[in-house]
Amino acid sequence: QVQLVESGGGLVQAGGSLRLSCAASRRYVTGWFRQAPGKEREFVAAISWSGDNTDYLDSVKGRFTISRDIATNTVYLRMNSLKPEDTAVYYCAVRRLPGLQYAPGDYEYWGQGTQVTVSS
């Protein structure tokens, strides 16, 4: 069983920043997803096992950065220039197979979710 521990959500004003953390027991391909009320869960960002490859949802490119700390098996999502439309519950997820993937169904284990609220 893979356990993921998320932290870092909160309430921030538009234009502000937050950093989300996702700690695991070992290194995996990791994705961040988000789900707003009444909407489907959507891909936000992903990082490869090595950390060399990343990809992002178009609407967050240039504002969000995904990174990993190999020493602590922690993946971060740095979110800058936040907008009210970024408000959602954010989830990290991992997959044991290699390769970046973009669908929730391609990830095997999920964190508990952390609320991000951006006020206008």
Side-chain angles (χ1 to χ4, degrees), residues 5-18:
V5 179
E6 297 180 37
S7 61
L11 172 64
V12 65
Q13 289 188 329
S17 297
L18 286 173

Side-chain angles (χ1 to χ4, degrees), residues 20-101:
L20 307 183
S21 301
C22 176
S25 57
R26 54 180 296 178
R27 209 180 339 164
Y28 300 94
V29 171
T30 304
W32 284 96
F33 291 79
R34 65 187 181 187
Q35 188 164 19
K39 295 188 176 181
E40 293 187 353
R41 192 168 297 189
E42 67 173 352
F43 168 82
V44 175
I47 188 166
S48 64
W49 184 85
S50 67
D52 291 342
N53 295 316
T54 59
D55 206 354
Y56 299 89
L57 176 69
D58 283 347
S59 63
V60 308
K61 285 181 180 177
R63 300 189 297 122
F64 290 13
T65 303
I66 190 170
S67 62
R68 77 163 63 245
D69 183 335
I70 293 175
T72 62
N73 293 323
T74 301
V75 171
Y76 300 98
L77 184 68
R78 177 69 179 183
M79 305 184 294
N80 295 329
S81 303
L82 281 161
K83 304 176 181 180
E85 51 263 43
D86 294 318
T87 295
V89 177
Y90 282 69
Y91 299 89
C92 70
V94 301
R95 53 183 274 114
R96 290 173 291 179
L97 294 175
L100 300 185
Q101 298 294 331

